[in-house]
Amino acid sequence: MRRLLTGATIWAGAGCVPRPGWLLVDGDRISEVGDAGDSVPEADEVVEASGRHILPGFVDVHSHLTVAAWMPRGGDGAAWRGLGDAVDGVRRVASAAPDAPWLVFWNVSMHAWPEGRLPTAEELDAAAPGRRVLICGIDLHRGVISRAAFEDLGLAATRPGQLAGDLGRDLRGRPTGELWEAAFGSALCRAVADMCAHLDDAGVEEALHAEAGRHLAYGITHAHDPYVSPSMHERLLRLRSITPLRLSWATGSSSGMLTAPDGPATAPTGMYGDAGREVKIFLDGADRCALRLPVHALPGLVGGTAREAWRRRAAGPLREGLRRRVTLRGTQIYLPYLRFGDGELTVLLAAYAEEGFRLRLHALGNLAADQAARALAAAGVPAGAATIDHLTALDRRTADLVAASGAYASFQPGFLPRFGPQFITTGVDRHLVILGGRLLTASGVPLVLSSDHPCGPLDPLQNLRTAVSRDLGDGRILQPEQSLTRSEAVRAAALEAARSLGAVGSGGLSPGQVADLAISGGDPFDEATRIVETWVAGERVWRM
């Protein structure tokens, strides 16, 4: 079947350069791409696409599809404005869902609350006596659970010092219910597993299939989940067989995505969907990211926190600031939240690399990025066999180390409106580059643009625009010199993303390449533009 799309603007070739023209699809491949003045080939079907833009299908290499699938079945805490709202919300859902195995609440941003903290286990118990409750912070690195959940997970017997300080404790050393990193990831993994068990297989499949459909509606033709529990591996293989969405994933610890993986011998065998085997390893956290700053940044950190507390007329920001670990070494200050020692990490990377795994490393701060680059080199990991996620706060020396490691960088410009103001408040943006697309490309790092959905916005068009505009959404532009060009942004969200996975689509809209298309209703960099059609392997699989 030969289908001719005419009258559109085609973001063509390896450079993703937009030009008026036409595109011929023959079966599952692109056969020809022509300019507006070129003669038009014969086709079995002509698709009139006047005014539309045809882009290569987006490849989101960092979308937590298997987490986002459960969000419609939980409570949304995005509108909560403080502890009172949270407790009332838990109480209402507990009454409305008496048989739910867990009461899970998502999208909670306690940083904006006057109290600056989540409810305690005691407060959750008062709102939902005897129920297992999990409240998830917006970054999925932090949350709080009720006493019933705490005991069910076996955390009540955990001694201080275990889980690397991931259990929140009061001044007497008693657990408060607050969880960080590995402890939070374990609770989330257990809650999802119990919700799966509560549904029949058809219900789980429906939830996952619906989330795959949401990706297609945004022009995403390939979604890569950066962590899928080994227990979910077979479900993802089943999902891949029933959805047109190209799908791949990384494995990790059976205890949760933020726990150190158990070693290659415990990982599922075979392909992981539409890409090879991959493992995800967290080197630092989110709020607890590993940073290195010059010592003269300290007054900004302290002063910015104090000013924010004064602006809100609340002690929450001060409480958070005082809990941060900060050390001084010479002329540098460190937020020392690395989750591995250098030698331990190098051994782990080498073990997975020797078994043919691609490596995906979470490194949000420059201290973690530095460790990632050095460990990849020490482990002898080949260029192109690893991706470092986030690289949110960097300096030039660390960017050069990342380039020398040969790793891809997967960054999320969609985080700028959500987290950019925090970097400005504390003055970190005066010392480090925040989500520096230009810094990375100038250093020679192959750049991939992704979402980190549901922590960041799923819509690739929104993320493209922010990568170019650097707009925080409140009239401020953060470090405009870090902007990408439009073609660079499209290339990073599609071609480079596919290449980083070793997947189809790395050649863009060129003859012989797979016909995965994202068709927008107008200029993709116009705020009003939306995706109107998605094609996978030459077939229209979604239409507005």
Side-chain angles (χ1 to χ4, degrees):
M1 182 73 168
R2 288 163 60 89
R3 295 183 172 95
L4 179 67
L5 291 83
T6 66
T9 297
I10 316 292
W11 291 69
C16 298
V17 178
R19 66 177 196 252
W22 49 262
L23 184 145
L24 180 65
V25 174
D26 190 350
D28 66 348
R29 298 276 164 175
I30 296 169
S31 176
E32 298 179 52
V33 180
D35 292 329
D38 295 345
S39 59
V40 177
E42 293 184 0
D44 301 306
E45 178 186 351
V46 176
V47 179
E48 175 56 47
S50 295
R52 296 184 171 183
H53 285 236
I54 302 176
L55 301 103
F58 297 116
V59 179
D60 193 337
V61 305
H62 197 126
S63 177
H64 294 276
L65 185 150
T66 51
V67 172
W70 296 101
M71 295 181 76
R73 297 173 183 267
D76 188 358
W80 293 349
R81 293 295 176 262
L83 286 177
D85 289 348
V87 171
D88 288 345
V90 171
R91 184 179 294 113
R92 285 195 300 271
V93 173
S95 176
D99 298 324
W102 282 78
L103 305 177
V104 182
F105 300 85
W106 310 92
N107 298 320
V108 176
S109 183
M110 78 294 295
H111 299 97
W113 296 0
E115 304 88 351
R117 69 169 178 86
L118 292 164
T120 63
E122 183 177 326
E123 290 165 333
L124 294 180
D125 291 342
R131 302 295 296 276
R132 293 183 292 181
V133 181
L134 170 62
I135 293 179
C136 302
I138 197 167
D139 59 10
L140 293 180
H141 281 254
R142 177 184 183 184
V144 65
I145 54 175
S146 61
R147 187 66 56 188
F150 203 84
E151 293 174 354
D152 190 56
L153 289 165
L155 296 176
T158 302
R159 299 187 304 275
Q162 290 185 324
L163 293 175
D166 289 345
L167 301 181
R169 298 181 183 274
D170 63 19
L171 294 177
R172 296 183 181 180
R174 298 172 301 186
T176 62
E178 184 180 39
L179 306 179
W180 297 80
E181 309 304 341
F184 170 78
S186 294
L188 179 59
C189 187
R190 175 63 179 275
V192 169
D194 288 347
M195 288 190 289
C196 284
H198 186 67
L199 292 175
D200 57 18
D201 287 343
V204 176
E205 186 174 289
E206 178 185 353
L208 293 172
H209 194 266
E211 185 59 32
R214 279 188 281 274
H215 283 67
L216 290 169
Y218 284 112
I220 297 168
T221 55
H222 184 157
H224 183 79
D225 194 320
Y227 167 79
V228 170
S229 169
S231 65
M232 287 286 287
H233 183 81
E234 292 298 323
R235 292 191 186 277
L236 266 290
L237 289 173
R238 168 63 181 162
L239 176 63
R240 178 62 193 95
S241 72
I242 62 173
T243 176
L245 178 69
R246 300 186 193 276
L247 191 62
S248 57
W249 54 92
T251 190
S253 171
S254 58
S255 298
M257 66 177 174
L258 298 160
T259 300
D262 308 311
T266 64
T269 58
M271 294 290 285
Y272 289 15
D274 289 292
R277 295 201 293 173
E278 183 179 272
V279 63
K280 179 64 181 278
I281 304 171
F282 285 79
L283 276 56
D284 65 350
D287 271 349
R288 291 182 170 181
C289 67
L291 281 176
R292 178 183 57 232
L293 290 159
V295 70
H296 56 268
L298 187 57
L301 292 174
V302 175
T305 300
R307 285 191 297 273
E308 185 65 11
W310 176 258
R311 185 183 70 82
R312 295 191 202 173
R313 302 296 192 271
L318 288 175
R319 177 182 176 274
E320 284 292 288
L322 289 171
R323 294 205 302 169
R324 294 194 186 280
R325 290 167 50 199
V326 179
T327 62
L328 175 64
R329 300 179 204 164
T331 61
Q332 303 285 317
I333 57 173
Y334 292 79
L335 276 65
Y337 288 113
L338 292 175
R339 301 192 65 81
F340 290 91
D342 288 355
E344 177 189 15
L345 178 61
T346 298
V347 169
L348 185 64
L349 298 186
Y352 276 102
E354 287 170 5
E355 294 299 321
F357 280 80
R358 283 190 49 79
L359 306 172
R360 183 167 296 273
L361 309 181
H362 170 109
L364 196 149
N366 62 338
L367 188 59
D370 181 299
Q371 184 187 51
R374 289 186 291 102
L376 288 170
V381 177
T387 296
I388 304 177
D389 284 328
H390 304 307
L391 299 168
T392 304
L394 278 186
D395 56 86
R396 178 162 296 281
R397 186 185 73 84
T398 304
D400 289 342
L401 279 176
V402 172
S405 76
Y408 286 88
S410 168
F411 88 131
Q412 298 77 35
F415 281 160
L416 279 169
R418 182 171 290 172
F419 301 117
Q422 295 179 27
F423 288 110
I424 293 174
T425 296
T426 55
V428 172
D429 65 307
R430 296 197 292 270
H431 308 284
L432 297 177
V433 176
I434 309 304
L435 291 165
R438 181 58 58 206
L439 171 64
L440 289 164
T441 56
S443 297
V445 180
L447 188 65
V448 173
L449 190 156
S450 59
S451 71
D452 199 6
H453 172 65
C455 307
L458 180 60
D459 184 1
L461 297 187
Q462 181 178 346
N463 293 324
L464 291 176
R465 293 165 192 151
T466 307
V468 172
S469 72
R470 308 283 298 181
D471 190 346
L472 300 186
D474 58 4
R476 290 181 292 179
I477 307 297
L478 180 59
Q479 298 176 339
E481 70 280 2
Q482 293 302 318
S483 296
L484 299 180
T485 68
R486 293 183 172 197
S487 290
E488 285 174 331
V490 172
R491 179 181 173 84
L495 282 64
E496 287 298 326
R499 185 172 289 110
S500 76
L501 297 174
V504 299
S506 62
L509 302 184
S510 302
Q513 294 296 311
V514 67
D516 288 359
L517 314 175
I519 304 178
S520 63
D523 183 344
F525 289 89
D526 185 324
E527 288 291 338
T529 297
R530 299 291 180 266
I531 294 297
V532 295
E533 292 186 20
T534 303
W535 293 43
V536 176
E539 297 293 334
R540 184 188 292 113
V541 297
W542 182 86
R543 172 187 281 174
M544 180 178 284

